[in-house]
Amino acid sequence: MRDTSQRRVEISRMLKEKGSVQVPSLSEMFKVSTVTIRKDLRFLEKQGLATRSYGGAMLKDNTLIETEVTVDDKQVLHAAEKSNIGAVAANLVEDGDSIILDSGSTTLQIASHLENKENVTIVTNGLNIVNELAHREKLNVMLLGGTLRRKSQSFFGSLAENTLRELHVDKLFLGVDGFHMERGITTHFEAEALLNKLMCKVASEVIVVTDSSKFGHVCLHKILEPSGVRKIVTDQNIPKDYHEGLQRLGIEVIIVEI
């Protein structure tokens, strides 16, 4: 029992220090079975210290994101990762494609790297994305109508939804606020989640673009199950259990070096 108690104290310390732990690495570290580690994590969850996640556990306070950051603030968070992700994701766009760029700071970086593309039709609900593309004469830009949400510089509502229902596009590039293997892809604002769901329905291919900080986090409103995604473009700090879990689902994980 003493060894069990000491191990759980150490796992708790690691959770507070790192924010998350994985079952395989803990099993190897403490020289016990994965079944034993899962019992430890269940115990810590009952104590209110952890929330179990895909392949491990997270510090409970880090699981649910309750506060939304403005799009201007998002642009300076993980800026290098987002720029590189945007450049790599832009290479997935082919001349003649029709695409949706969801509003957001990472999708804005995709827009900024489309300068060499021709005859691409870009549908977006992002005001900042339209401003970025306004002078790209070789690109066709369609702004979804609706009500402007200033915090995210995006449009939402029935007008945007009705327009989307009449469209079909080749690729959707979807930014996320939270990506959890069990609870799905999530965002803060209900109306944007509804619009994102429609985007997923009218696109032949859903491509998630996100820096690794979003993995394991959950927001209030669900957009999509992970299995509905074809590709993910993210940085090299994606948790190992997420990388492996996504590959098991048949999702292509494109890792961007920083």
Side-chain angles (χ1 to χ4, degrees):
M1 179 63 70
R2 182 182 176 187
D3 288 343
T4 298
S5 178
Q6 289 177 336
R7 186 176 61 251
R8 289 173 177 175
V9 168
E10 180 63 15
I11 293 173
S12 176
R13 184 194 65 78
M14 293 171 64
L15 272 169
K16 292 175 182 177
E17 182 179 297
K18 299 181 179 180
S20 65
V21 292
Q22 285 75 48
V23 169
S25 59
L26 291 177
S27 175
E28 183 178 351
M29 178 184 299
F30 292 108
K31 309 300 181 187
V32 296
S33 69
T34 57
V35 173
T36 297
I37 293 297
R38 289 191 178 95
K39 288 180 180 178
D40 292 339
L41 297 181
R42 281 197 293 271
F43 172 82
L44 294 176
E45 186 175 44
K46 288 180 181 179
Q47 298 299 309
L49 297 174
T51 299
R52 281 182 293 161
S53 63
Y54 190 85
M58 300 181 59
L59 188 65
K60 189 168 185 179
D61 288 344
N62 285 348
T63 303
L64 182 63
I65 307 175
E66 297 179 349
T67 304
E68 181 183 9
V69 178
T70 68
V71 72
D72 289 334
D73 290 337
K74 285 180 180 180
Q75 287 179 194
V76 300
L77 296 172
H78 308 285
E81 289 91 336
K82 291 175 181 178
S83 178
N84 289 359
I85 289 168
V88 171
N91 286 332
L92 300 176
V93 180
E94 301 176 2
D95 289 346
D97 270 350
S98 59
I99 68 171
I100 296 175
L101 288 182
D102 176 34
S103 63
S105 54
T106 306
T107 47
L108 177 63
Q109 290 300 317
I110 299 175
S112 70
H113 287 93
L114 292 176
E115 64 273 5
N116 295 322
K117 304 298 180 180
E118 295 186 9
N119 195 31
V120 173
T121 297
I122 301 151
V123 180
T124 185
N125 64 322
L127 180 60
N128 55 347
I129 291 174
V130 169
N131 289 334
E132 175 68 30
L133 297 173
H135 302 293
R136 306 284 176 85
E137 295 183 0
K138 294 182 180 180
L139 302 175
N140 306 310
V141 182
M142 179 187 298
L143 175 63
L144 296 175
T147 302
L148 175 63
R149 185 171 185 247
R150 290 176 175 81
K151 191 168 190 176
S152 58
Q153 293 185 29
S154 63
F155 291 88
F156 69 94
S158 59
L159 184 58
E161 293 167 14
N162 290 337
T163 302
L164 266 179
R165 289 189 181 97
E166 301 299 319
L167 301 178
H168 174 77
V169 299
D170 298 310
K171 298 162 185 170
L172 161 64
F173 291 89
L174 180 66
V176 304
D177 291 315
F179 194 118
H180 194 282
M181 290 297 292
E182 295 166 350
R183 302 182 190 179
I185 299 167
T186 55
T187 191
H188 291 280
F189 188 51
E190 182 179 14
E192 286 185 353
L194 292 172
L195 191 63
N196 288 156
K197 286 179 182 179
L198 272 176
M199 290 177 177
C200 294
K201 288 182 180 179
V202 304
S204 295
E205 181 178 6
V206 177
I207 303 170
V208 166
V209 289
T210 180
D211 66 85
S212 59
S213 71
K214 306 296 175 52
F215 290 107
H217 289 306
V218 180
C219 302
L220 187 59
H221 300 286
K222 187 173 180 178
I223 300 169
L224 186 70
E225 293 287 350
S227 58
V229 176
R230 182 78 61 85
K231 295 184 179 78
I232 292 180
V233 186
T234 189
D235 63 76
Q236 60 198 22
N237 294 318
I238 178 176
K240 183 179 178 182
D241 58 323
Y242 269 78
H243 192 177
E244 294 173 349
L246 292 166
Q247 289 180 318
R248 282 195 292 271
L249 288 175
I251 299 170
E252 181 181 352
V253 182
I254 302 172
I255 301 296
V256 176
E257 299 294 328
I258 305 301

